[in-house]
Amino acid sequence: MNDNIFTDTPPTSTDFCMLDYECAYIEGNSVRMNYKYIEQATQTYNTALINRGWRRFGCYYFHPICNGCNECKSVRIDVNNFKLRKSQKKAIKRNKETEIIIQKPTLSQAHIDLYNRYHSFKHQKDNWSHRNISPREYRENFVEGAHEFGKEVLYIKDDKLIGVDLIDVLDDGISAIYFYYDPDYPQLSLGTYSLLYQIELAKVLELPWIYMGYWVDGCKAFSYKPNFQPQEILDGFPTVDTISDWKEFKNPNI
């Protein structure tokens, strides 16, 4: 499906790239990221960038420009034609008593503690690199740059915070920025449930897409993404004044 071009004047940005560092997705590869630092991003410009493969953390928008590698493809869920799988229906049932709050992104000690617990767990389970995040780093990554379009979806159980889903509400969908959760609640399948809730929210808001970030074939960390069908995939990172050419993306595991 082709998407519209952006014709407004872009907000002021500082553009730069980082030195190469070790790739977390493909062993032995190096990563180089292209950045835009935008203090006053609009929802329309954010939509145009996300629609063309960019991601947002704080005021930083970025996408990879790796030498000799083009494995990072952007994927999005077709909300209006999404079909629940049996395991996804079970995840919904298991969360009947989970409380959900949607608000502007915030910073509390509960956020920091949960974020660090989650990443310590992933370090032990999946060998993720890990060091505790500071309040300043958390604010820069997940609170700043949200403006009116950035939201956090809080998951509450037993009167405590057990999950935080950072999202952007776009003109044409929802961008899934980052999700972390309490590893003491594996029975709730919160990773799955949070995406299902995004889909329901998009339906309420009459938005057609859930932008899930990147797909890298063979990367274990992304293996859950094709389970939410149907989807489209984008190869490359077209400029905002050109059309983005999304194509059908079927589950490669079937």
Side-chain angles (χ1 to χ4, degrees), residues 122-180:
K122 296 298 283 186
H123 172 68
Q124 296 173 17
K125 181 176 181 289
D126 296 323
N127 201 32
W128 284 19
S129 61
H130 167 65
R131 64 175 179 81
N132 284 346
I133 196 170
S134 69
R136 177 187 59 80
E137 290 173 310
Y138 189 94
R139 181 177 295 280
E140 288 179 353
N141 284 328
F142 302 122
V143 179
E144 294 178 357
H147 303 294
E148 295 303 314
F149 49 76
K151 307 294 179 185
E152 65 177 7
V153 184
L154 306 181
Y155 292 84
I156 312 294
K157 183 83 169 180
D158 302 328
D159 295 322
K160 69 175 183 177
L161 183 66
I162 63 168
V164 179
D165 194 15
L166 286 308
I167 64 173
D168 279 349
V169 178
L170 309 174
D171 292 343
D172 69 347
I174 292 175
S175 174
I177 297 174
Y178 201 73
F179 179 70
Y180 58 94

Side-chain angles (χ1 to χ4, degrees), residues 95-148:
N95 281 278
K96 283 186 176 181
E97 297 182 0
T98 303
E99 181 184 357
I100 297 175
I101 299 171
I102 305 176
Q103 61 184 27
K104 290 182 66 68
T106 58
L107 171 61
S108 71
Q109 191 59 49
H111 285 74
I112 299 298
D113 292 345
L114 181 59
Y115 182 95
N116 287 332
R117 285 194 62 228
Y118 170 74
H119 283 84
S120 177
F121 165 75
K122 296 298 283 186
H123 172 68
Q124 296 173 17
K125 181 176 181 289
D126 296 323
N127 201 32
W128 284 19
S129 61
H130 167 65
R131 64 175 179 81
N132 284 346
I133 196 170
S134 69
R136 177 187 59 80
E137 290 173 310
Y138 189 94
R139 181 177 295 280
E140 288 179 353
N141 284 328
F142 302 122
V143 179
E144 294 178 357
H147 303 294
E148 295 303 314

Side-chain angles (χ1 to χ4, degrees), residues 24-226:
Y25 306 146
I26 302 176
E27 185 175 358
N29 280 22
S30 296
V31 177
R32 178 173 294 184
M33 285 289 181
N34 183 39
Y35 285 91
K36 288 181 178 290
Y37 180 81
I38 309 174
E39 290 187 345
Q40 300 298 327
T42 63
Q43 180 170 310
T44 300
Y45 191 60
N46 187 21
T47 299
L49 290 177
I50 300 301
N51 177 270
R52 287 160 177 81
W54 292 73
R55 306 298 295 157
R56 182 184 76 82
F57 268 25
C59 294
Y60 294 91
Y61 290 77
F62 56 91
H63 70 73
I65 49 170
C66 307
N67 184 30
C69 181
N70 187 38
E71 290 300 311
C72 286
K73 318 287 187 184
S74 302
V75 288
R76 65 184 186 181
I77 302 168
D78 180 348
V79 170
N80 294 325
N81 294 301
F82 172 72
K83 293 179 176 58
L84 279 168
R85 297 157 60 108
K86 180 183 289 187
S87 61
Q88 293 166 347
K89 292 179 181 178
K90 290 180 179 178
I92 293 173
K93 290 181 180 179
R94 287 194 291 266
N95 281 278
K96 283 186 176 181
E97 297 182 0
T98 303
E99 181 184 357
I100 297 175
I101 299 171
I102 305 176
Q103 61 184 27
K104 290 182 66 68
T106 58
L107 171 61
S108 71
Q109 191 59 49
H111 285 74
I112 299 298
D113 292 345
L114 181 59
Y115 182 95
N116 287 332
R117 285 194 62 228
Y118 170 74
H119 283 84
S120 177
F121 165 75
K122 296 298 283 186
H123 172 68
Q124 296 173 17
K125 181 176 181 289
D126 296 323
N127 201 32
W128 284 19
S129 61
H130 167 65
R131 64 175 179 81
N132 284 346
I133 196 170
S134 69
R136 177 187 59 80
E137 290 173 310
Y138 189 94
R139 181 177 295 280
E140 288 179 353
N141 284 328
F142 302 122
V143 179
E144 294 178 357
H147 303 294
E148 295 303 314
F149 49 76
K151 307 294 179 185
E152 65 177 7
V153 184
L154 306 181
Y155 292 84
I156 312 294
K157 183 83 169 180
D158 302 328
D159 295 322
K160 69 175 183 177
L161 183 66
I162 63 168
V164 179
D165 194 15
L166 286 308
I167 64 173
D168 279 349
V169 178
L170 309 174
D171 292 343
D172 69 347
I174 292 175
S175 174
I177 297 174
Y178 201 73
F179 179 70
Y180 58 94
Y181 61 87
D182 191 331
D184 288 343
Y185 290 81
Q187 73 278 9
L188 296 181
S189 303
L190 287 170
T192 295
Y193 184 59
S194 65
L195 259 176
L196 295 175
Y197 187 77
Q198 286 185 31
I199 292 169
E200 287 306 305
L201 180 60
K203 288 179 179 178
V204 170
L205 299 175
E206 299 183 344
L207 299 171
W209 306 108
I210 302 293
Y211 290 90
M212 291 197 296
Y214 299 131
W215 164 257
V216 177
D217 192 23
C219 179
K220 179 182 175 182
F222 298 150
S223 61
Y224 70 92
K225 293 188 178 185

